[in-house]
């Protein structure tokens, strides 16, 4: 009979170590470097958001094992960590494509026709907003204002900014994403 | 090198300024927009040209945003006497000609841009220019990565002045006397906030900078952080001295990587010179600043939500009182001020409250930075004295409407604001007047709209935003805004009735009265202001099932006019086979089959498809 607390299962940290040894060491080293105070949950919680930022930077997303490791190290419950991840749009618990295409849907981009760009990308990629293509190459998302309103409408691919985008430019933008 | 007294700092400054290189500076605008517009290539071309033998005459300086976003990449030539020439839309190819022409000649083919601002701290407004730069005084003219550049323009002297010559109470009083009001939108007197926190018993207190600039269409905080990070650090230290805090936190969006990098550098430099850290200016005052990153939640611009986010919780707001100045971060007294508010502080301390009040209106002294965007010729950042009219901003500084279209409305205050129409173009704007005409200051985004924008659709856009960003804690905001959004969607799809319009107004007022925080209380503003100003447009949607601006696709009808030569291209591309006709004769669209995708209009080479 298995125990309901999952104690018989492989520990999250061990599993993560087995699958992604380097990334996992990087994360644990980061957490070990934080000035955590044993027993002071309130103060330690203050490091949660930056830990998640780092973890997502390392793993690309926040799988349940990563959440579990963070929960153990910071002394917070998993539900609390999931609560934070689901609250902030920057965090995701699903793997996303290598090329993150984000169309800015801020006001300036909207009045200058950003919706048409989204439609064109949806048609070209065959995915909806917030989804990744089957080959894990492209993720299509929307952003609320990157603050480059003079270039509206704006599309960001990873850290590259395309300005004054028209639907005709979509092919070129996708073509720029060669591995 | 550490600076331990005001005299040492002034000495250091005069030594910096005393060294004459005799060179003309080439200020290269390399903020996020400048870089995206190709500024890096221009910078490379300039450096290459200097290497060819012009390095004795010129010096290249990377600066932040000059505010001339519409003509990026921009460069400014400026000599030590202050003579200057600004060029816009610069290409790498133009560089040799521009540098050969210098300040006296004319570079063929290059576009010169007029300077439309003056610096109230240094000069009189002789030419009657519209912009007065106080918050943006250094942005676009200093290298943000060099603390010496900041010190040349009297940097950290205000901090030295308060630490050496003023009591903490006097600092709060000076800011209160200057009537500096929160530039994040609500306009609460900054000095009051500081006094509240200062009045709390001694102990741990916090000074926070709200750099979670989330309003779509506002980018002034980014410009300040990228172009003049030290002005924010200095002001936070001044505030910390006034309230008795030793710890500062800048809460910044993760989406602003360049601003983060520059702040990190600035903090390091300030520590090295003893402007941050232990024993600042050789006094017993300790203060240090750390960065905390946002993670994409608009509601975190609300101060209680922001504090919860720093504490590592979901960024949900809580009811005020208690106000953060009494009980904030980790339940300690905390002051939260916005970036632009901080950017004004050092200038006020240096020049005094009376000087600050000589700019702007009596109820709202000083200036406000607006991010001008949308359907306008000169998109950019402008800083104008409070009390400037919208007409001066849009048609004076903004250069009028794109493609000579008609002006329809300007949206201020982001998702919390409203639309202002022609009839209020001549209202002098400050916090109170904007409220009285159904909008608000907000963080200063100004989106201009022309005849091609449908106001119902704009209201729907903002509600879509609020639904997305509502934290879900209180029912009026979570469910009420969703219902508003659905009603607006119905209207855009031709399913709205006159009762829908009544319901829209009633529900909007209920949300306004009952929502928990500022986000919810102001979220119906875009609906109410468009209902007030563009009621006939709503009526056209519900009564005649017509969208006057031709935006709401479901209400449009595609027809073929007499330009049709019968090439059949439209029929071939129509996904539903709704177009029929004989070759070389006019085709027709079957309205029952048409799904209004607009492909026919895109494909037609003869402008034969009408959309009405």
């Amino acid at each position: 009979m298995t125990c309901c607390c999952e104690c018989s299962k492989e520990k999250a940290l061990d599993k993560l170590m087995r699958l992604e040894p380097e990334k996992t060491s990087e994360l644990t080293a980061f957490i070990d470097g934080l000035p955590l105070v044993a027993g002071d949950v309130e103060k330690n919680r203050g490091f949660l958001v930056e830990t998640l930022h780092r973890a997502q930077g390392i793993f690309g997303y926040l799988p349940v094992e990563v959440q579990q490791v963070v929960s153990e190290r910071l002394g917070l419950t998993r539900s609390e960590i999931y609560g934070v991840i689901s609250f902030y749009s920057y965090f995701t618990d699903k793997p996303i494509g290598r090329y993150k295409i984000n169309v800015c849907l801020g006001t300036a981009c909207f009045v200058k026709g950003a919706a048409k760009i989204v439609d064109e990308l949806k048609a070209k990629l065959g995915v909806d907003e917030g989804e990744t293509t089957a080959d894990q190459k492209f993720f299509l998302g929307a952003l609320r204002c990157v603050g480059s309103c003079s270039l509206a409408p704006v599309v960001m691919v990873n850290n590259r900014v395309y300005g004054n985008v028209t639907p005709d430019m979509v092919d070129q933008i996708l073509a720029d994403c060669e591995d | 090198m550490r600076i331990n007294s005001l005299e040492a700092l002034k000495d250091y400054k005069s030594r910096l300024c005393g060294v004459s290189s005799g060179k003309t500076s080439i200020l290269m605008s390399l903020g996020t927009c400048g870089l995206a517009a190709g500024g890096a290539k221009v910078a490379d071309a300039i450096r290459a040209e200097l290497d060819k033998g012009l390095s004795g005459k010129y010096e290249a300086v990377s600066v932040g945003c000059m505010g001339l976003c519409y003509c990026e990449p921009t460069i400014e030539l400026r000599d030590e006497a202050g003579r200057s020439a600004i060029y816009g839309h610069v290409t790498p190819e133009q560089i040799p000609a521009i540098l050969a022409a210098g300040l006296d000649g004319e570079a063929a083919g290059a576009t010169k841009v007029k300077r439309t601002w003056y610096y109230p701290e240094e000069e009189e407004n002789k030419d009657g220019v519209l912009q007065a730069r106080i918050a943006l005084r250094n942005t676009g003219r200093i290298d943000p990565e060099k603390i010496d550049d900041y010190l040349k323009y009297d940097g950290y002297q205000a901090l030295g002045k308060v630490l050496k010559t003023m009591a903490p109470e006097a600092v709060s009083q000076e800011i209160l006397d200057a009537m500096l009001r929160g530039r994040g939108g609500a306009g609460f007197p900054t000095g009051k906030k500081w006094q509240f926190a200062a009045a709390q018993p001694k102990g741990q207190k916090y000074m926070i900078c709200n750099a979670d600039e989330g309003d779509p269409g506002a980018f002034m905080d980014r410009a300040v952080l990228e172009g003049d990070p030290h002005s924010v650090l200095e002001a936070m230290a001044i505030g910390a001295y006034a309230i008795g805090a030793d710890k500062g936190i800048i809460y910044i969006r993760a989406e602003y990587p360049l601003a983060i990098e520059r702040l990190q550098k600035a903090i390091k430099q300030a520590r090295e010179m003893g402007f941050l850290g232990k024993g600042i200016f050789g006094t017993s005052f300790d203060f240090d600043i750390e960065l905390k990153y946002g993670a994409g939640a608009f509601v975190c611009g609300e101060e209680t939500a922001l504090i919860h986010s720093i504490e590592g919780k979901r960024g949900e707001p809580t009811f005020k009182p208690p106000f953060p100045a009494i009980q904030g971060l980790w339940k300690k007294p905390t002051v939260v001020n916005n970036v632009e508010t901080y950017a004004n502080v050092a200038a006020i301390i240096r020049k005094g409250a009376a000087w600050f009040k000589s700019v702007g209106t009596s109820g709202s002294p000083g200036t406000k930075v607006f991010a001008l965007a949308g359907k306008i010729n000169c998109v950019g950042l402008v800083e104008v004295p409070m009390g400037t009219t919208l007409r001066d901003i849009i048609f004076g500084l903004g250069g009028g409407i794109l493609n000579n279209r008609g002006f329809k409305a300007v949206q201020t205050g982001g998702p919390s604001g409203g639309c202002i129409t022609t009839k209020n173009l001549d209202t002098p704007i400050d916090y109170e007047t904007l409220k009285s005409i159904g909008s608000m200051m907000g963080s200063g985004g100004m989106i201009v709209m022309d005849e091609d924008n449908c106001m119902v659709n704009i209201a729907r856009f903002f509600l879509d935003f609020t639904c997305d960003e509502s934290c879900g804690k209180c029912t009026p905001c979570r469910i009420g805004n969703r219902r508003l959004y659905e009603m607006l969607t119905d209207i855009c799809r031709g399913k709205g009735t006159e009762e829908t319009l009544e319901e829209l107004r009633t529900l909007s007022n209920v949300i306004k009265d009952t929502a928990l925080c500022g986000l919810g209380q102001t979220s119906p503003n875009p609906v109410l202001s468009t209902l007030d100003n563009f009621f006939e447009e709503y009526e056209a949607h519900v009564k005649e099932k017509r969208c006057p601006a031709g935006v709401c696709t479901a209400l449009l009808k595609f027809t073929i006019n007499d330009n049709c030569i019968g090439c059949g291209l439209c029929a071939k591309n129509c996904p539903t086979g709704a177009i029929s006709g004989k070759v070389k004769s006019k085709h027709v669209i079957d309205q029952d089959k048409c799904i209004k995708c607009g492909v026919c209009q895109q494909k037609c080479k003869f402008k034969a498809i009408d959309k009405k």
Side-chain angles (χ1 to χ4, degrees):
Chain A
M1 204 180 100
T2 52
C3 170
C4 60
C5 81
E6 303 186 352
C7 61
S8 61
K9 281 198 184 163
E10 185 179 15
K11 285 261 188 307
L13 184 59
D14 296 337
K15 186 176 170 195
L16 217 49
M17 263 305 195
R18 181 163 55 78
L19 296 172
E20 301 273 13
E22 278 168 28
K23 290 179 178 176
T24 311
S25 313
E26 198 184 334
L27 176 63
T28 49
F30 172 79
I31 298 176
D32 290 341
L34 291 173
L36 297 176
V37 185
D40 192 343
V41 179
E42 285 301 311
K43 276 280 158 68
N44 291 348
R45 188 184 284 118
F47 297 101
L48 176 59
V49 173
E50 61 185 280
T51 307
L52 294 176
H53 265 296
R54 180 50 86 87
Q56 186 161 308
I58 296 170
F59 288 88
Y61 69 113
L62 298 166
V64 69
E65 291 80 15
V66 169
Q67 298 178 28
Q68 213 163 331
V69 169
V70 173
S71 118
E72 282 159 16
R73 291 290 172 113
L74 295 188
L76 304 168
T77 62
R78 273 168 62 189
S79 64
E80 204 175 345
I81 289 175
Y82 183 73
V84 168
I85 292 174
S86 57
F87 184 84
Y88 296 98
S89 61
Y90 200 86
F91 298 132
T92 168
D93 58 350
K94 292 184 186 63
I96 52 175
R98 292 190 298 286
Y99 293 95
K100 265 183 281 178
I101 304 178
N102 275 306
V103 183
C104 177
L105 286 181
T107 323
C109 290
F110 181 77
V111 301
K112 283 189 157 179
K116 284 184 193 146
I117 316 282
V118 177
D119 290 344
E120 186 73 13
L121 279 163
K122 277 186 190 167
K124 286 266 152 66
L125 297 173
V127 292
D128 227 334
E129 215 181 292
E131 291 178 0
T132 295
T133 53
D135 61 0
Q136 297 286 314
K137 186 169 175 188
F138 295 109
F139 165 82
L140 177 60
L143 278 179
R144 296 295 188 179
C145 200
V146 290
S148 300
C149 306
S150 61
L151 302 168
V154 171
V155 171
M156 264 184 102
V157 182
N158 294 344
N159 277 329
R160 190 184 302 170
V161 177
Y162 292 89
N164 301 314
V165 179
T166 59
D168 300 340
M169 285 163 69
V170 165
D171 279 329
Q172 187 55 47
I173 292 174
L174 296 180
D176 286 349
C177 302
E178 275 319 310
D179 297 282
Chain B
M1 191 187 100
R2 284 183 70 91
I3 300 276
N4 278 328
S5 70
L6 197 50
E7 291 69 39
L9 178 62
K10 285 183 175 161
D11 250 21
Y12 186 76
K13 182 208 156 183
S14 58
R15 259 183 293 143
L16 284 176
C17 296
V19 187
S20 164
S21 66
K23 292 182 189 174
T24 298
S25 300
I26 308 171
L27 309 178
M28 312 179 289
S29 167
L30 293 175
T32 298
C33 324
L35 287 170
K41 280 186 190 141
V42 172
D44 288 344
I46 290 172
R47 292 201 183 94
E49 202 62 20
L50 296 193
D51 287 344
K52 282 187 209 158
L54 282 174
S55 55
K57 193 172 169 210
Y58 290 109
E59 183 183 20
V61 186
S62 311
V63 299
C65 174
M66 292 181 196
L68 304 166
C69 311
Y70 67 100
C71 61
E72 293 284 3
T74 40
I75 61 169
E76 179 180 0
L77 306 185
R78 177 196 283 268
D79 69 6
E80 284 175 336
R83 293 192 310 148
S84 106
I86 305 173
Y87 289 93
H89 300 294
V90 180
T91 62
E93 294 74 33
Q94 292 171 349
I95 295 300
I98 292 176
L99 297 191
L103 280 167
D104 305 307
E106 287 293 325
T111 320
K112 261 197 186 168
V113 183
K114 227 179 120 198
R115 192 174 98 163
T116 53
W117 60 87
Y118 79 108
Y119 299 101
E121 212 179 336
E122 297 161 15
E123 54 195 7
E124 296 282 314
N125 186 5
K126 287 189 233 83
D127 308 321
V129 294
L130 290 169
Q131 289 197 62
R133 294 200 165 171
I134 298 176
L136 298 178
R137 62 191 177 277
N138 294 325
T139 308
R141 64 171 179 173
I142 67 166
D143 184 339
E145 302 196 358
K146 292 199 181 115
I147 193 168
D148 282 357
D149 265 29
Y150 182 65
L151 297 179
K152 273 188 203 167
Y153 287 101
D154 298 332
Y156 289 105
Q157 290 198 13
L159 177 61
K161 181 176 169 186
V162 302
L163 292 184
K164 296 286 189 182
T165 68
M166 292 170 84
E169 304 77 51
V171 180
S172 300
Q173 192 60 46
E174 187 77 20
I175 298 295
L176 187 65
D177 289 344
M179 290 172 71
L180 174 64
R181 300 171 63 175
R183 298 295 195 244
F188 189 81
T190 305
K192 267 259 155 59
K193 242 186 207 182
W194 291 12
Q195 282 181 343
F196 285 146
Q200 295 305 303
K202 276 201 175 64
Q204 181 71 60
K205 294 177 190 178
Y206 295 98
M207 201 74 195
I208 294 181
C209 171
N210 181 352
D212 190 50
E213 186 170 53
D215 261 17
F219 49 95
M220 62 284 298
D221 292 353
R222 198 202 70 206
V224 171
L225 296 169
E226 284 180 2
D228 189 20
H230 284 288
S231 70
V232 175
L233 306 185
E234 182 178 4
M236 286 178 74
I238 292 170
Y241 173 72
I243 69 164
D246 66 352
K247 205 162 173 215
I249 294 171
I250 301 179
Y251 182 84
I252 182 165
R253 292 180 80 183
E255 289 91 338
Y256 283 177
L258 187 61
I260 290 174
E261 190 192 315
R262 293 202 169 146
L263 274 172
Q264 284 166 336
K265 277 188 190 156
I267 291 173
K268 189 165 165 274
Q269 291 166 347
R271 281 182 192 147
E272 281 163 8
M273 296 202 68
F275 301 135
L276 286 178
K278 295 237 176 278
I280 297 174
F281 269 100
T283 65
S284 59
F285 175 62
D286 302 337
F287 180 66
D288 211 345
I289 295 176
E290 64 169 315
L291 300 185
K292 285 274 183 188
Y293 306 123
F298 176 69
V299 68
C300 289
E302 202 281 341
E303 54 185 2
T304 59
L306 183 149
I307 286 169
H308 292 144
S309 181
I310 294 178
E311 289 171 344
K313 297 176 189 155
R314 292 162 67 92
E316 288 168 352
T318 37
F319 187 74
K320 295 190 277 194
F323 286 91
I326 316 294
Q327 210 180 85
L329 184 61
W330 316 117
K331 301 216 168 4
K332 303 290 183 203
T334 303
V335 164
V336 183
N337 287 139
N338 149 281
V339 173
E340 193 191 329
T341 314
Y342 279 128
N344 281 293
V345 168
I348 295 173
I349 297 290
R350 281 197 300 262
K351 301 285 281 188
W355 163 80
F356 190 70
K357 284 206 284 194
S358 70
V359 183
T361 63
S362 59
S364 313
T367 60
K368 178 77 192 85
V369 184
F370 290 103
L372 212 48
K375 304 275 185 72
I376 190 161
N377 281 314
C378 304
V379 172
L381 272 189
V382 298
E383 180 173 357
V384 292
M386 296 275 191
T388 305
T389 64
L390 281 169
R391 188 182 300 280
D392 277 343
I393 297 174
I394 296 167
F395 292 92
L397 294 166
I401 311 299
L402 210 56
N403 303 327
N404 280 321
R405 307 280 308 182
F407 168 82
K408 186 169 190 177
V410 56
Q411 213 277 348
T412 69
S416 317
C419 291
I420 300 166
T421 56
T422 329
K423 68 173 192 276
N424 286 315
L425 272 180
D426 291 309
T427 311
I429 44 177
D430 62 20
Y431 291 97
E432 277 70 32
T433 53
L434 276 176
K435 217 173 246 173
S436 73
I437 55 179
S439 185
M440 67 181 280
M441 186 67 85
S443 55
M446 227 180 228
I447 314 275
V448 177
M449 293 166 209
D450 68 6
E451 301 147 339
D452 291 341
N453 291 118
C454 165
M455 300 320 280
V456 185
N457 194 40
I458 292 289
R460 180 170 166 263
F461 163 78
F462 280 114
L463 262 296
D464 179 33
F465 181 90
T466 336
C467 290
D468 239 25
E469 296 295 346
S470 167
C471 76
K473 186 172 179 174
C474 76
T475 320
C477 179
R478 184 183 66 242
I479 297 176
N481 281 321
R482 172 62 60 184
R483 290 290 100 87
L484 282 183
Y485 174 73
E486 287 165 1
M487 287 183 212
L488 290 166
T489 307
D490 278 351
I491 297 173
C492 289
R493 295 212 172 124
K495 292 181 197 152
T497 61
E498 279 171 76
E499 281 99 72
T500 321
L501 300 186
E502 270 315 299
E503 286 164 11
L504 262 183
R505 196 182 286 277
T506 314
L507 181 55
S508 292
N509 285 321
V510 169
I511 298 174
K512 222 176 158 171
D513 291 341
T514 54
L516 175 68
C517 81
L519 189 153
Q521 287 156 10
T522 55
S523 60
N525 284 354
V527 181
L528 289 170
S529 89
T530 45
L531 271 175
D532 287 342
N533 290 314
F534 297 96
F535 193 69
E536 66 293 341
E537 217 168 300
Y538 277 89
E539 278 187 316
H541 280 75
V542 297
K543 281 190 189 161
E544 303 160 39
K545 309 290 176 203
R546 185 173 66 85
C547 174
V551 172
C552 300
T553 335
L555 301 181
L556 298 177
K557 206 168 151 188
F558 286 85
T559 50
I560 298 180
N561 64 31
D562 290 339
N563 285 345
C564 179
I565 61 151
C567 70
L569 196 59
C570 55
K572 206 184 282 175
N573 281 290
C574 176
T576 56
I579 306 179
S580 58
K582 283 192 189 126
V583 178
K584 292 193 179 167
S585 63
K586 189 178 159 187
H587 283 45
V588 284
I589 301 177
D590 181 346
Q591 296 299 334
D592 292 335
K593 283 190 187 166
C594 176
I595 55 164
K596 291 153 187 170
C597 65
V599 167
C600 50
Q601 197 184 31
Q602 279 168 26
K603 296 288 173 189
C604 180
K605 293 179 176 139
F606 306 96
K607 296 199 174 138
I609 313 262
D610 290 328
K611 181 173 89 168
K612 265 182 210 151

